[in-house]
Amino acid sequence: MVVAGLGDSGVLTAIHLARHCEVVGISVKPGLVSGQELGLRISRPDAWARDYRVDFERFRGLDRVRTIHGTLTGLDIGGQRVTITDPDGSTVIEDYDALVISTGVTNGFWRRPTVQTSADIDDELRQAHDIVARARSVIVVGGGAAAVSSAANIAARWPRTRVDLYYPGERALPQHHPRTWRRVGDRLDDLGVNRHSGYRALLPNGFECDRITGGVVRWTTGQMPAEADAVVWAIGRTRPNTDWLPAEILDGDGFVRVDSRLSVPGCPGVFAVGDVAATDRLRSSARNRADRLVAHNVRAHLDGRRLKSYRPKDHRWGSVLGPQPDGLEVFAPTGYAFRFPAWSIDRVLQPWIVRRGIYHGVRDTH
Ligand SMILES: Cc1cc2nc3c(=O)[nH]c(=O)nc-3n(C[C@H](O)[C@H](O)[C@H](O)COP(=O)(O)OP(=O)(O)OC[C@H]3O[C@@H](n4cnc5c(N)ncnc54)[C@H](O)[C@@H]3O)c2cc1C
């Protein structure tokens, strides 16, 4: 079994499969570097790293998984093999009986499919934090969860910094239930974040939104330019990490076509899960924990059993702001929030629900 891409969905899929079969996991990173909770990552990188950056050796469930550090560069569907370029530039071929594609998407400065060592990741985390820590004013551009969470957490961490959040629509979090935005909007007001609706940013020529900038931001919607020491671009221009895949398995936007069983049509034994998989309008299979389903379907396919179907939700759900001093709010698809009290995050949620329940055991760092 090959799991291509060991991010949030790939790690979990590999953990499920490794209990039953021989698994090879391939990743450009030496561990899980989650794309979640951007605000926490910028404002308190050490606290973020404790839960969202986990070396592969720390996952007990990956003990039996052979991990390869390198970049996937090709897929030969007929020959059932993938090609990997390792960090030294040499080529490695891995054959498979079943393949799960989980290479995710590129998004902003914090989710990029670059080959990195642990030291590179440390530097990157520290740099983003330092730029924002030094700023006396910050503009966050974007209206999704990454933007909103950045604005809130920056304002909470540095209360004397002026924080402005600019988003194009009437409201931010357009893919969440309206109730979620009402609640989160109130939290932003309490934290002193200045919210500006109806602003669409003009992107500097050729700018890939791959770093935190500073200076003037102009708007295509006609308002006066705005200026800040640091500008965090979180405008949701996600790009699927599918350059390595043949065009025939991709949809018009470059995501991997899948049927309701997360199987790639016309390619028996090839599945996709997570942000790269064109499952539904929101491509929500990572959030909806389809890692379990895809692992089940891979095994069912090999054993000739019936495959299960994925059922997406209508609205995005989950945490938006991440852990706060008064606890962690998790929003349901209906927009109502469930709150984990602050004391329970380190004593119950992370050790028991996340590390034990979801990941089947995570070793402490040394
Ligand atoms: C347990 C869990 C909880 C979640 N909670 C929330 C929540 O509360 N709120 C919310 O909004 N969302 C939540 N999400 C969803 C989350 O926002 C994203 O959808 C999720 O991080 C996407 O995971 P992924 O595996 O598809 O992508 P990624 O985590 O980005 O993984 C892709 C990996 O593949 C690597 N890669 C890419 N290209 C290559 C290549 N060519 N060769 C080798 N490696 C490559 C990437 O570098 C990366 O490491 C959750 C997801 C999970 C699993």
Side-chain angles (χ1 to χ4, degrees), residues 5 7-9 28 36 70 72 102-104 111 113 241 274-275 286-287 318-319:
D8 281 322
S9 291
V28 284
Q36 294 181 52
L72 288 143
S102 51
T103 40
R111 278 179 84 184
N241 295 325
D275 291 0
R287 169 66 297 206
S319 145

Side-chain angles (χ1 to χ4, degrees), residues 14-15 18 23 56-67 360-361 363:
I15 289 174
V23 181
F56 293 139
E57 305 83 71
R58 289 180 54 208
F59 290 106
R60 291 185 196 282
L62 291 184
D63 285 352
R64 281 184 290 166
V65 173
R66 181 160 59 88
T67 54
H360 301 195
R363 297 182 180 92

Side-chain angles (χ1 to χ4, degrees), residues 4-12 26-29 31-37 70-73 102-105 111-114 145 176 241-242 244 273-277 283-289 291 316-320 330 358-359:
L6 291 175
D8 281 322
S9 291
V11 163
L12 288 165
I26 300 153
S27 179
V28 284
K29 315 289 175 197
L32 171 66
V33 184
S34 174
Q36 294 181 52
E37 306 294 11
T71 307
L72 288 143
T73 46
S102 51
T103 40
V105 298
R111 278 179 84 184
R112 310 201 69 77
T114 44
H176 288 72
N241 295 325
T242 50
W244 61 285
V273 67
D275 291 0
V276 78
R283 290 187 289 268
S284 59
S285 65
R287 169 66 297 206
N288 291 325
R289 297 294 320 278
D291 45 275
R316 281 202 189 279
W317 67 283
S319 145
V320 176
V330 177
I358 296 182
Y359 288 107

